[in-house]
Amino acid sequence: MRLWLCLLLAAAQPAAVHSSMVHQQSPLSLVAENNTKADIFCEVKTSPATTRIYWLRRLQAPSPNSHYEFLALWDHTKQPVYGKNVGQEELTVKQTSTQTILSLKSVKPTDSGVYFCMTIGTPELTFGKGTQLTVVDVLPTTAQPTKKTTTKKRRCRSFPSPAAKKGPLCGPLTLGLLVTGAVILLVSVAVSIHLYCLRRRARLRFMKKFYK
């Protein structure tokens, strides 16, 4: 069966890549740390529950010479079938009510590649969109944004001006003193004018008597 599958993949690969019907596969990209578990999900909506689901891996960029490595086959009628040199200690395949899950138990850098779920139809193969798996020694950390420190502006303390003081500017006593002073000034002016007039009249009388 494995030889037949390889021949079928080689013959039908151009049609598979350009298939109009694509299975829902997630995630599209996955970064996993070395020696950790990685899960890839495939949902076949347009096929019956009895459809066989194949899991493949492509280790190089897509090209006419791209090579697909057969990993496992899920068949509801029997136990999963694994590819050459692939064992359950490396990966497992299981089925839920809506999805088929490929679980890589302990990934290594050599496991990096693009993983596809696939079904065989008539006349073409139907692939998922693919999951790009990248295995790294240490997961990249997201840099925390630096907080911008803002210096508080110093505000000069303003002192209240004399004009800003509340309350009446002049009290009753002050007003009384101002009015009294004004009256005295007017009386003094009037007295001065009256005395000036009296002196002038007396002078004129004296001058008239002197020249007679």
Side-chain angles (χ1 to χ4, degrees):
M1 186 192 72
R2 293 174 184 172
L3 179 60
W4 167 80
L5 178 61
C6 293
L7 294 175
L8 182 61
L9 283 172
Q13 184 175 342
V17 174
H18 297 89
S19 174
S20 60
M21 182 175 62
V22 180
H23 301 317
Q24 298 297 323
Q25 190 173 331
S26 63
L28 297 179
S29 178
L30 178 61
V31 179
E33 194 171 358
N34 193 19
N35 296 324
T36 59
K37 183 181 178 182
D39 291 334
I40 303 174
F41 304 87
C42 178
E43 183 176 356
V44 182
K45 293 183 178 181
T46 57
S47 299
T50 57
T51 300
R52 291 181 176 182
I53 299 176
Y54 298 82
W55 283 97
L56 311 172
R57 176 172 59 191
R58 188 182 66 209
L59 298 178
Q60 59 183 354
S63 68
N65 298 322
S66 296
H67 172 66
Y68 289 91
E69 178 186 359
F70 170 68
L71 299 176
L73 163 66
W74 169 262
D75 189 341
H76 75 288
T77 61
K78 54 185 177 180
Q79 294 295 325
V81 178
Y82 296 94
K84 185 179 181 181
N85 299 326
V86 178
Q88 295 187 25
E89 69 278 0
E90 299 179 16
L91 59 87
T92 58
V93 180
K94 58 184 178 180
Q95 177 77 25
T96 65
S97 58
T98 58
Q99 293 178 323
T100 300
I101 305 172
L102 175 68
S103 296
L104 304 175
K105 294 183 178 181
S106 181
V107 295
K108 303 178 294 295
T110 54
D111 293 324
S112 298
V114 184
Y115 290 74
F116 296 90
C117 61
M118 182 199 73
T119 57
I120 299 177
T122 305
E124 62 182 11
L125 309 181
T126 303
F127 281 60
K129 291 184 178 180
T131 297
Q132 175 68 57
L133 174 64
T134 304
V135 181
V136 296
D137 292 331
V138 180
L139 289 176
T141 56
T142 305
Q144 296 293 333
T146 56
K147 294 183 179 179
K148 185 178 180 181
T149 56
T150 56
T151 56
K152 294 184 178 180
K153 295 182 179 180
R154 291 186 176 181
R155 295 183 178 180
C156 297
R157 186 178 178 182
S158 58
F159 296 94
S161 60
K165 292 182 178 180
K166 296 182 180 180
L169 294 177
C170 300
L173 180 60
T174 306
L175 289 175
L177 292 175
L178 289 175
V179 172
T180 303
V183 171
I184 292 173
L185 180 60
L186 291 175
V187 171
S188 300
V189 173
V191 171
S192 298
I193 294 174
H194 180 67
L195 291 176
Y196 174 76
C197 293
L198 291 177
R199 288 177 183 175
R200 184 176 178 78
R201 288 178 184 176
R203 186 178 179 184
L204 291 174
R205 289 176 184 175
F206 176 79
M207 293 295 293
K208 288 180 180 181
K209 289 180 180 181
F210 181 79
Y211 286 108
K212 281 183 179 181

